[in-house]
Every structure is written in C-alpha cells, then in structure tokens.
Amino acid sequence: MSLTKAERDIMESMWGKISTQADSIGTETLERLFAGYPQTKTYFPHFDLHPGSAQLRAHGSKVVAAVGDAVKNIDNISLALSKLSELHAYILRVDPVNFKLLSHCLLVTMAARFPADFTAEAHAAWDKFLSVVSSVLTEKYR
Amino acid sequence: MVHFTAEEKTAITSLWGKVNVEEAGGEALGRLLVVYPWTQRFFDSFGNLSSASAIMGNPKVKAHGKKVLTSFGDAVKNIDNLKTAFAKLSELHCDKLHVDPENFRLLGNVLVIILATHFGKEFTPDVQAAWQKLVAGVANALSHKYH
C-alpha cells in the first residue's frame, strides 16, 4: 500500500493547520482513546490519565510529533520511524489492534476540529496514511 | 447484553435528535465506499463509483444510505434490546446479502467520524464513547444470527 501524489498533497496541506494545534490534538486523541476503549489504559498504569493531566499532554504531544515526522518524511516512513518501530517491537509491545483504535481517535479529533477540510478524500488519505504508519510501527514485531 | 447508562442514552438520543438522517446516511455510505473501496463489492448495480465525487454525488448511494441510517434509528429507539430489534436484518445480511460483519464495524466508525464533523466540540470524548458502544452493539446485533 503506497500513497498517491494526490493523497500526499492532501495531507501535507492539512498538516499545516494541524501542527498549530498539535499538542491539544494529541491530548484530545488520547482522551478519546481512553474514554472509548478503556482497555487501552492497561498500557499506562504509571500515568495519571485524568483529563488535563500533564502526563497526558506530554504524551499526546509525542504522538502527534511522531505523526508529523511521518508526514514530513512521507516518502520513507519506514526510515523516519525506524527507532519508534524498534521501541514498539521490543519494549512497548503494544498489541497491533490498538493502532487501529488510536488512528480512529485521531481521525475523529481531526474531523471534529477541521470539518470543512476533512472531506471524504481527505478522510481516505488520512486513514490510509495512518494504516501505513501503524504497519511501520509493527513491522519488527516478529 | 450491552448495558447503556442513563448518561450514555442521553448522549446518544440528544445528538440523534439533531441528525439529518437523509443527509448523514448518504454521507456515511458514501465515505464507506470512498475510504474502503473494497466495500463497493456489494454495490455493482449502483452505477458510477469511479471517484470520490462520483460516489458522494451518486443518487443510489444517497438513497441507500438514507435507508441504512433510518434503520440505524431503530437502534436508538431499541437501545436496550438491540439483538431482538435487528434479528430479521441480521438474517437478511447473512442469508441474502452475504455481508462480512467486519463491514458493520467499518460503517459504524465512519458514522462516528461524520458525527464528529457535524457536531465538532459537542462530540466530546464521552459522547464519542457512548456512540462507539452503540455502533459496536449494532454491529454485534447484526452479526448475531450469522451461521
């Protein structure tokens, strides 16, 4: 699965807007994940997960920053996220099903904040892009 | 059996009251076909599905989307009894339509995204969580009679 030029253009243009709200988007995405899919909290026993917690904000920023790296290196996501891929494979070992849940929550957050930009085509491009990112992050699992 | 709290029911019914079922239905089905093109396999008779704009403007997609979402409205009315409410539809989707239940999950998530575009800030994490529970309940109810 690779991204077409049209898909890459859509995402790069939306990323401009998204990056101005990166931190709060990251936080909101995680809040949606933990509210909608409580089982995902099992990966964060060491976190204060109350809405507004500093840890939640810091972690949300990290997640969105990584997505941003993937957007900026869209022609070689595998290389750009190589270290993160190893981290997830050997240390974090988050079950692959959870990448779909997080991706969905990020899409919901973007849809809620940028309804006019989040057209059917943009939705398709982002869904595909996030599934590529998810594949990269799980490619070293076994 | 899925149990919905009073807050979850309120989150669901209050939002549903503001949904334009005809418009949202067409959008939901359209986006399903755009974002997950393999789902077009069930709709060979629908005519032009060759691009995102063709799909979103296709009158058959809109009409069928409206039908699907109207039926979804039954879930909101029968929220404590989804399996019974969807028993006949479940048999239909298995025996006549031959739809893989995974498609119900995909459509449910597309619907959640459309609600997010329409309601923005109002579609808080807790409201979303109630809706995720509902769409999962509907997907399960529609798969319940599969054999």
Side-chain angles (χ1 to χ4, degrees):
Chain A
M1 228 197 321
S2 64
L3 297 152
T4 66
K5 172 137 199 341
E7 286 162 344
R8 283 183 274 146
D9 288 346
I10 285 174
M11 286 161 42
E12 275 158 26
S13 80
M14 271 185 76
W15 191 254
K17 281 194 184 181
I18 289 166
S19 57
T20 63
Q21 299 178 28
D23 287 359
S24 63
I25 284 175
T27 310
E28 187 181 325
T29 297
L30 290 178
E31 283 172 357
R32 290 182 183 280
L33 182 69
F34 298 137
Y37 309 100
Q39 70 273 19
T40 56
K41 294 190 285 187
T42 57
Y43 292 97
F44 300 95
H46 54 299
F47 264 32
D48 167 14
L49 293 178
H50 292 106
S53 96
Q55 282 177 311
L56 209 53
R57 266 183 288 121
H59 199 67
S61 295
K62 263 195 207 172
V63 170
V64 172
V67 173
D69 282 344
V71 173
K72 282 182 223 111
N73 295 280
I74 206 163
D75 291 316
N76 202 342
I77 296 175
S78 206
L79 184 63
L81 299 189
S82 174
K83 284 254 165 328
L84 260 186
S85 181
E86 284 168 9
L87 181 73
H88 283 78
Y90 306 130
I91 317 288
L92 301 177
R93 292 170 291 184
V94 172
D95 190 285
V97 74
N98 295 289
F99 293 99
K100 279 196 181 181
L101 303 180
L102 181 64
S103 299
H104 173 64
C105 289
L106 179 54
L107 293 180
V108 172
T109 302
M110 291 195 289
R113 289 179 182 231
F114 308 106
D117 298 277
F118 206 70
T119 60
E121 270 153 327
H123 178 173
W126 277 101
D127 191 289
K128 194 171 163 185
F129 169 75
L130 291 174
S131 85
V132 170
V133 170
S134 302
S135 294
V136 166
L137 290 176
T138 53
E139 73 190 0
K140 297 173 184 174
Y141 268 39
R142 57 178 168 173
Chain B
M1 255 288 280
V2 192
H3 171 75
F4 291 84
T5 66
E7 290 83 14
E8 286 167 342
K9 289 183 189 182
T10 304
I12 289 165
T13 53
S14 68
L15 221 71
W16 188 251
K18 301 184 228 176
V19 170
N20 178 332
V21 169
E22 172 161 10
E23 204 185 281
E27 243 195 284
L29 186 62
R31 283 193 186 230
L32 182 74
L33 301 176
V34 168
V35 180
Y36 309 107
W38 54 93
T39 59
Q40 292 169 25
R41 69 190 297 286
F42 301 106
F43 302 106
D44 281 340
S45 63
F46 272 27
N48 186 4
L49 299 180
S50 60
S51 68
S53 53
I55 291 170
M56 299 310 286
N58 183 310
K60 285 190 173 179
V61 171
K62 291 186 187 188
H64 196 68
K66 176 183 175 184
K67 195 175 181 181
V68 169
L69 208 62
T70 302
S71 174
F72 198 90
D74 288 341
V76 178
K77 283 190 221 103
N78 292 282
I79 204 166
D80 289 316
N81 219 341
L82 294 174
K83 291 204 163 89
T84 313
F86 284 96
K88 282 254 161 330
L89 266 180
S90 179
E91 284 168 9
L92 178 78
H93 281 76
C94 173
D95 299 332
K96 296 273 165 5
L97 304 178
H98 310 293
V99 176
D100 177 348
E102 180 57 25
N103 292 285
F104 308 141
R105 293 171 231 296
L106 292 180
L107 183 61
N109 279 339
V110 168
L111 178 61
V112 164
I113 285 176
I114 279 166
L115 293 175
T117 60
H118 285 224
F119 293 103
K121 267 191 136 93
E122 199 182 334
F123 200 65
T124 63
D126 284 343
V127 171
Q128 181 193 346
W131 276 91
Q132 295 292 167
K133 209 164 156 183
L134 179 63
V135 301
V138 171
N140 287 339
L142 279 174
S143 335
H144 188 65
K145 293 284 190 181
Y146 271 59
H147 60 96

